[in-house]
Structure formats: structure tokens, C-alpha cells
């Protein structure tokens, strides 16, 4: 490891149509947490998608893109992190 900031990829998803915990809210909360944690830098613009429930199927193409971006960041920087507002954003499906 070096003293370089860890590259971070952010993903948010919203399965229901209500405004509570929107993708924009998730991104804002995660970006605030990353700033508070320190030692990290955003690798790519946040990824997100609406109306992608994970109960019976996989999330969506934005999650795949976020994971590819995190893998790319890790290859370039020897490490990377994928941040989500809550682990349920990755679960199921």
C-alpha cells in the first residue's frame, strides 16, 4: 500500500417508486461517509438505477458497470473499494 488515496466506486439503487432513500440520497450519504472516512478518492461518477428490485432477480446493468469500474480501479491502483448506502443494495438476486 502507498500513501495514495484508495479509489472508490459508488453504487445506489432504488427498487420502489417512493421518494424515501432515493438514489440521489444514497449517493449523497455515501459521499459524505467517504469524505468523513478520509484517505479515499472517487474513481468514477456514482452509478445508480431506479426501479431495480433485487428480490427475485439481479439488480441491473449499473451494478455490473460499478463492479467493472471497481475491478479496473483495483488493477490500476492495487486496491479499490465499492461503496453502497446499505448492504441490501447488493443482496439478493
Amino acid at each position: 500500500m502507498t500513501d495514495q488515496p484508495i479509489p472508490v466506486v459508488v453504487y445506489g439503487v432504488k427498487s420502489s417508486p417512493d421518494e424515501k432513500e432515493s438514489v440521489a440520497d444514497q449517493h449523497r450519504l455515501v459521499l459524505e461517509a467517504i469524505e468523513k472516512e478520509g484517505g479515499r478518492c472517487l474513481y468514477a461518477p456514482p452509478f445508480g438505477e431506479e426501479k431495480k428490485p433485487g428480490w427475485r432477480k439481479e439488480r441491473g446493468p449499473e451494478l455490473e458497470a460499478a463492479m467493472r469500474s471497481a475491478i479496473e480501479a483495483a488493477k490500476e491502483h492495487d486496491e479499490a473499494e465499492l461503496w453502497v448506502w446499505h448492504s441490501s443494495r447488493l443482496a439478493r438476486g
Side-chain angles (χ1 to χ4, degrees), residues 12-66:
V13 65
K14 180 71 175 155
S15 59
S16 58
D18 63 61
E19 292 299 316
K20 183 181 176 191
E21 300 163 353
S22 71
V23 171
D25 288 340
Q26 293 175 39
H27 286 164
R28 179 182 51 77
L29 292 168
V30 170
L31 292 170
E32 288 173 2
I34 290 167
E35 185 175 334
K36 183 178 178 182
E37 184 71 23
R40 283 148 179 83
C41 64
L42 197 59
Y43 180 75
F47 294 86
E49 47 205 344
E50 304 279 346
K51 300 178 186 170
K52 291 291 182 184
W55 186 250
R56 290 197 176 99
K57 61 181 181 174
E58 293 182 12
R59 287 292 185 186
E62 288 290 294
L63 176 55
E64 291 291 324

